[in-house]
Amino acid sequence: SKHWLFSVLTRLVEVIAPAEPDPAANPEGARTELDEEMENDICKVWDMSMDEDVALFLQEFNAPDIFMGVFAKSKCPRLTEICVGILGNMACFQDICMSISKDENLGQVLLQRLCDSDSPTLLETSRLLLTCLSQPEVASVWVERIRENPSVYDCVCFIMSSSTNVELLVKVGEVVDKLFDLDEELMLNWIKNGTCHSVGPSVDDSPEELPEFKIVPCILEAAKQVRSDNPEGLDVYMHILQLLTTVDEGIQAIVQAPDGGKETWSLLYDLVCQELCQPDDPPIIVQEQKTVLASILSVLSAMFASQTEQEYTRMRKNMPLIGSLIRILQYMEGCGKRAVDNSKESEQEETGRTDVNEEDFHLKILKDICCELLSNMLQELTKENTLEGLHQGHLNEQTCSCAFQNLLPLYSASVESFLEVLREADQTLADNLEKCFPSLKAHT
């Protein structure tokens, strides 16, 4: 009932502003626990706030202002977490989200929650921010607010580089991904950031000096934490890296790290060659992994194009990567045939055709990125590299035919260059491929 909700809010005010505070019972700076009955009731409100009528009632009785008082005065992390969570539920409704977002004081207070040392509070704060950033009517308000608040960069980097809470890392990654997708200027600012020491959170609520943060190492650290436990989280962090490569400054931030980008290349190389789309996987796996593969290969392609002089891009180390790229193309051919069969079966079903078309679109993006990287790598092969690839099984008539089938005619120069090198390594194989692809013979 409204009466019950109002009584809970009233008791909440009393919790944060008791009539006669007792300093001895609660020394300055000490954390407090929430009364069990109060926690049960406020958690019920948290659950109920997912209902629009309840959310509107809370808005009507100025719950956001009460929560601001909680954030300012409460020393109870659990209470703070619940109040942020209720606001997150309320923000799912457009009108309430607009009201919350336009409140400058509340907006600043919520951003300060990102400097909290309590993981559950950080999780709920990130969820609230993502909800607001996902609403077009108010997204720009939050982007501007975050751009003007340097501590957000520090706190987000601190979380990504030091947290082991996978759920929190995924949600923070989604916030960063959304921010970079919405505003290139903010992304550029964050790429260039990290040149001075920052003040961040500490357990006793007193500021401590943090090391200067660079965005790329922080993203990599978070990606390593989520890679085995949360495929969706890995997808998010790989997409963040891909967004960085859409601007020159982002590519430079990746390849001009102290290690020259070696750590980034090693992580992505490992994912492609050891974890994703493996030989013992069914071909349909490429359908499940298409978005994360597209992001990873896009970053590898940008790095390879800009760092051909780096030791880690030397072809003698990267034959397994070429083998993996060709395997991805082989699996996509299998998915393509399956999609054609499905479209025939569901010719009378509009929804079915739409799904197939969407799948085709995402697979085409993956194929384009894969072919670009493969063509660039084939052009760098020497006779020695090719012999090694043949010996290791990465190159044979079947894999080369698949590569040529996908690269021609767009990358004919690259294919012809590779064929010349292949002729030195294995004349018979080169001749067989020429017979299969007559257009090559006409040019050689």
Side-chain angles (χ1 to χ4, degrees):
S1 68
K2 290 184 177 182
H3 177 75
W4 180 83
L5 278 170
F6 183 70
S7 70
V8 174
L9 292 177
T10 303
R11 285 159 55 207
L12 185 57
V13 173
E14 293 170 355
V15 167
I16 59 173
E20 296 181 10
D22 183 359
N26 183 27
E28 184 68 26
R31 296 189 173 202
T32 61
E33 297 298 323
L34 194 57
D35 173 78
E36 184 177 350
E37 183 183 354
M38 184 64 199
E39 181 173 354
N40 288 336
D41 285 346
I42 197 71
C43 280
K44 288 176 186 175
V45 176
W46 191 359
D47 291 338
M48 293 164 63
S49 62
M50 290 186 287
D51 180 273
E52 186 170 10
D53 288 337
V54 174
L56 288 168
F57 177 80
L58 291 171
Q59 175 81 355
E60 181 185 342
F61 275 85
N62 298 319
D65 290 340
I66 296 173
F67 297 154
M68 276 187 65
V70 172
F71 303 149
K73 299 178 182 179
S74 173
K75 296 295 182 182
C76 176
R78 176 64 173 156
L79 182 58
T80 303
E81 173 206 353
I82 295 170
C83 291
V84 178
I86 294 172
L87 275 177
N89 284 349
M90 293 171 65
C92 293
F93 305 105
Q94 184 178 337
D95 289 344
I96 299 176
C97 186
M98 291 181 70
S99 175
I100 292 172
S101 300
K102 289 177 180 177
D103 187 329
E104 187 61 31
N105 290 332
L106 180 58
Q108 293 297 335
V109 168
L110 288 171
L111 290 183
Q112 288 170 14
R113 292 300 96 211
L114 285 173
C115 294
D116 207 294
S117 58
D118 180 61
S119 290
T121 299
L122 289 171
L123 177 61
E124 291 307 319
T125 304
S126 302
R127 186 173 73 88
L128 170 59
L129 288 176
L130 186 63
T131 299
C132 294
L133 289 168
S134 300
Q135 301 226 17
E137 298 81 9
V138 299
S140 59
V141 174
W142 285 98
V143 169
E144 185 64 28
R145 189 174 285 149
I146 290 169
R147 192 191 296 140
E148 294 175 353
N149 196 326
S151 68
V152 174
Y153 170 87
D154 298 326
C155 296
V156 165
C157 284
F158 182 77
I159 294 167
M160 290 194 297
S161 62
S162 61
S163 178
T164 56
N165 184 319
V166 171
E167 191 179 3
L168 172 59
L169 288 172
V170 173
K171 195 58 65 177
V172 167
E174 289 175 344
V175 170
V176 174
D177 189 41
K178 191 69 177 176
L179 282 170
F180 286 4
D181 200 32
L182 287 169
D183 193 80
E184 186 176 293
E185 182 185 342
L186 183 141
M187 182 172 73
L188 286 168
N189 289 342
W190 282 25
I191 290 170
K192 297 170 185 174
N193 218 326
T195 55
C196 59
H197 288 274
S198 314
V199 173
S202 68
V203 175
D204 61 1
D205 287 336
S206 60
E208 67 174 11
E209 215 177 57
L210 300 175
E212 61 179 53
F213 287 115
K214 298 288 187 181
I215 191 70
V216 173
C218 295
I219 294 169
L220 291 180
E221 191 58 41
K224 291 175 191 173
Q225 285 289 335
V226 304
R227 68 184 282 188
S228 57
D229 296 324
N230 195 300
E232 292 79 12
L234 180 65
D235 199 343
V236 168
Y237 279 99
M238 293 303 100
H239 190 253
I240 295 172
L241 283 177
Q242 182 185 5
L243 287 173
L244 292 183
T245 64
T246 60
V247 294
D248 289 340
E249 293 87 346
I251 298 174
Q252 295 308 309
I254 293 172
V255 301
Q256 290 185 355
D259 63 356
K262 183 178 178 181
E263 187 179 357
T264 304
W265 182 275
S266 296
L267 174 63
L268 303 187
Y269 177 96
D270 238 25
L271 289 169
V272 175
C273 296
Q274 303 296 331
E275 294 186 22
L276 300 172
C277 205
Q278 294 302 292
D280 55 350
D281 289 328
I284 194 66
I285 195 72
V286 78
Q287 188 65 260
E288 298 174 19
Q289 300 173 348
K290 57 185 178 291
T291 55
V292 68
L293 281 169
S295 295
I296 292 171
L297 297 185
S298 182
V299 178
L300 285 172
S301 186
M303 293 182 71
F304 189 82
S306 62
Q307 289 293 89
T308 49
E309 76 282 359
Q310 282 288 347
E311 177 62 24
Y312 60 76
T313 61
R314 295 285 185 259
M315 294 315 305
R316 60 186 172 82
K317 293 186 174 184
N318 286 304
M319 286 311 305
L321 180 54
I322 287 181
S324 294
L325 293 175
I326 296 174
R327 182 167 59 252
I328 291 169
L329 291 172
Q330 289 173 319
Y331 283 9
M332 277 194 285
E333 287 178 355
C335 284
K337 291 173 184 174
R338 182 183 176 121
V340 169
D341 293 340
N342 287 345
S343 66
K344 288 178 180 176
E345 291 173 9
S346 59
E347 197 167 340
Q348 304 303 319
E349 300 176 15
E350 189 66 32
T351 305
R353 286 204 301 274
T354 303
D355 291 344
V356 169
N357 289 338
E358 188 176 341
E359 288 178 2
D360 286 348
F361 174 73
H362 288 295
L363 284 175
K364 184 181 185 305
I365 292 175
L366 175 57
K367 179 183 175 181
D368 290 346
I369 296 169
C370 190
C371 286
E372 180 182 6
L373 177 56
L374 179 60
S375 69
N376 287 337
M377 298 189 83
L378 288 180
Q379 280 192 307
E380 298 295 323
L381 287 178
T382 64
K383 177 183 176 182
E384 290 72 23
N385 304 146
T386 305
L387 285 169
E388 189 175 0
L390 291 166
H391 176 70
Q392 294 173 349
H394 301 302
L395 297 176
N396 54 46
E397 187 165 345
Q398 183 186 15
T399 58
C400 289
S401 293
C402 175
F404 288 11
Q405 184 72 41
N406 285 279
L407 293 177
L408 292 172
L410 186 59
Y411 297 102
S412 56
S414 173
V415 173
E416 289 164 12
S417 169
F418 168 64
L419 192 60
E420 288 300 315
V421 175
L422 182 61
R423 187 173 283 108
E424 297 177 28
D426 189 329
Q427 179 73 47
T428 303
L429 177 55
D431 290 343
N432 290 343
L433 289 168
E434 273 192 338
K435 290 175 186 175
C436 295
F437 298 91
S439 61
L440 290 174
K441 195 169 186 179
H443 287 88
T444 54

